[in-house]
Amino acid sequence: MCQLLLEGKVALVTGGARGIGREIALLLASQGADIALCDVNLEQAEETAKEIRLSGRECLAFKADVTDLKSVQEMVDKILDKFKKLDILINNAGIAKDNLILRMSEEDWDKVIAVNLKGTFVCTKIASKVMLKQRSGRIINLASIIGIMGNAGQANYAASKAGIIALTKSVAKELASRGITVNAIAPGFIKTEMTARLPDDIQKKMLSGIPLGRFGEPKDVADLVLFLSSESSSYITGQVVQIDGGMLM
Ligand code: NDP
């Protein structure tokens, strides 16, 4: 029988209730990892957790807001109580609140920066303390090609994702000597509830700019996360890997 890629590993996926996070959690579990999920929507996180348990892996679901350091610390303490370690952190929780700069409210700026950028900082800070002691770990941050190229109507989102890229490179340099790799993934347009909200004409225009001629699926992103979580990627750190059908090159 072929060896599973993540046998015996423990992974925390933030925003794991639905969309890309859910797909990542299911795929990592299918490769042998036990999973902890956190989301602001506990009911939906429990649904995903149920599916993972049915597949034979252990899964804990938490209601935790990634911007709240205290609740993330409590969650990681509970993960350690149960699993005794934390090997993989996927900083996936993210939101968008789009508007042109003149119409963008201070509240929408603050909220997007808080969830996307501060949330990544909080979870990385707490998980890396555990990984430093273990002298091993994988941290994978969901950025976006918008954080590289910018986008009209998404100044807050683009700034948060550019910030995640800079955070990724800085932390990769800090943690490399302890066997911990830190990488970012920059997806293009992936079919989830986040992108379903975009008007049809915008979606059509975006599709015309994708050389591979289709939008991405959450599974496309999950496959890349699996590779970056596994031993096969042990010589890759501080990188931003685009997964966008060729949209930005
Ligand atoms: P979704 O909106 O479908 O899912 C995001 C999940 O994160 C939701 O379950 C959401 O909960 C949860 N969440 C939101 N805020 C918090 C918080 N403060 N604490 C914990 N969980 C939270 O998004 P996607 O699956 O599309 O995106 C996942 C990641 O990928 C995001 O970081 C996004 O920016 C990034 N990305 C997505 C792209 C795409 O095309 N879809 C492209 C590039 C990057 P709730 O139920 O409350 O919404």
Side-chain angles (χ1 to χ4, degrees):
M1 208 174 72
C2 162
Q3 167 94 33
L4 296 177
L5 289 173
L6 301 179
E7 193 75 67
K9 301 288 184 192
V10 176
L12 167 60
V13 184
T14 71
R18 63 176 163 90
I20 294 171
R22 176 179 188 280
E23 198 68 31
I24 291 170
L26 289 168
L27 185 65
L28 299 191
S30 78
Q31 284 298 318
D34 290 322
I35 305 290
L37 297 175
C38 83
D39 210 285
V40 282
N41 183 338
L42 183 61
E43 213 175 299
Q44 220 166 354
E46 277 294 358
E47 285 298 310
T48 305
K50 229 185 267 171
E51 212 174 316
I52 290 171
R53 288 182 206 119
L54 281 176
S55 77
R57 306 313 319 177
E58 302 233 45
C59 185
L60 297 175
F62 296 94
K63 182 178 171 67
D65 181 335
V66 290
T67 65
D68 180 356
L69 193 137
K70 193 166 162 271
S71 52
V72 173
Q73 182 67 66
E74 284 169 6
M75 168 175 70
V76 170
D77 289 344
K78 285 182 188 151
I79 294 170
L80 294 176
D81 280 348
K82 166 87 178 161
F83 296 120
K84 315 293 175 215
K85 60 182 194 147
L86 177 58
D87 302 296
I88 300 161
L89 167 66
I90 315 296
N91 281 308
N92 165 82
I95 58 168
K97 290 188 181 293
D98 302 347
N99 224 327
L100 295 171
I101 193 78
L102 290 182
R103 293 200 198 121
M104 187 174 285
S105 66
E106 186 181 0
E107 192 188 350
D108 282 354
W109 172 271
D110 287 346
K111 184 80 190 154
V112 169
I113 298 291
V115 175
N116 297 3
L117 185 54
K118 183 185 170 188
T120 302
F121 155 72
V122 165
C123 296
T124 301
K125 177 180 165 68
I126 290 169
S128 62
K129 192 170 175 197
V130 180
M131 292 175 181
L132 279 165
K133 281 193 197 138
Q134 293 170 182
R135 293 188 158 265
S136 70
R138 294 274 186 275
I139 299 175
I140 295 151
N141 299 326
L142 269 289
S144 165
I145 58 164
I146 301 304
I148 303 169
M149 61 191 261
N151 195 23
Q154 291 200 298
N156 50 0
Y157 185 80
S160 73
K161 296 299 186 179
I164 287 175
I165 290 171
L167 184 153
T168 299
K169 293 178 183 177
S170 303
V171 180
K173 287 181 178 179
E174 288 183 28
L175 303 182
S177 64
R178 302 286 187 97
I180 302 163
T181 65
V182 188
N183 290 291
I185 290 184
F189 187 112
I190 310 297
K191 283 200 270 177
T192 66
E193 281 181 43
M194 185 182 266
T195 44
R197 286 182 222 122
L198 291 171
D200 281 352
D201 55 326
I202 303 237
Q203 292 203 23
K204 243 189 213 157
K205 199 172 150 211
M206 281 186 150
L207 185 58
S208 69
I210 302 175
L212 285 179
R214 67 168 176 90
F215 293 132
E217 300 289 340
K219 172 78 165 61
D220 293 314
V221 179
D223 282 335
L224 177 57
V225 170
L226 172 61
F227 169 68
L228 290 173
S229 304
S230 73
E231 275 310 304
S232 313
S233 66
S234 59
Y235 202 52
I236 301 175
T237 197
Q239 300 305 303
V240 183
V241 186
Q242 287 176 222
I243 175 153
D244 61 2
M247 211 171 156
L248 176 67
M249 59 168 109

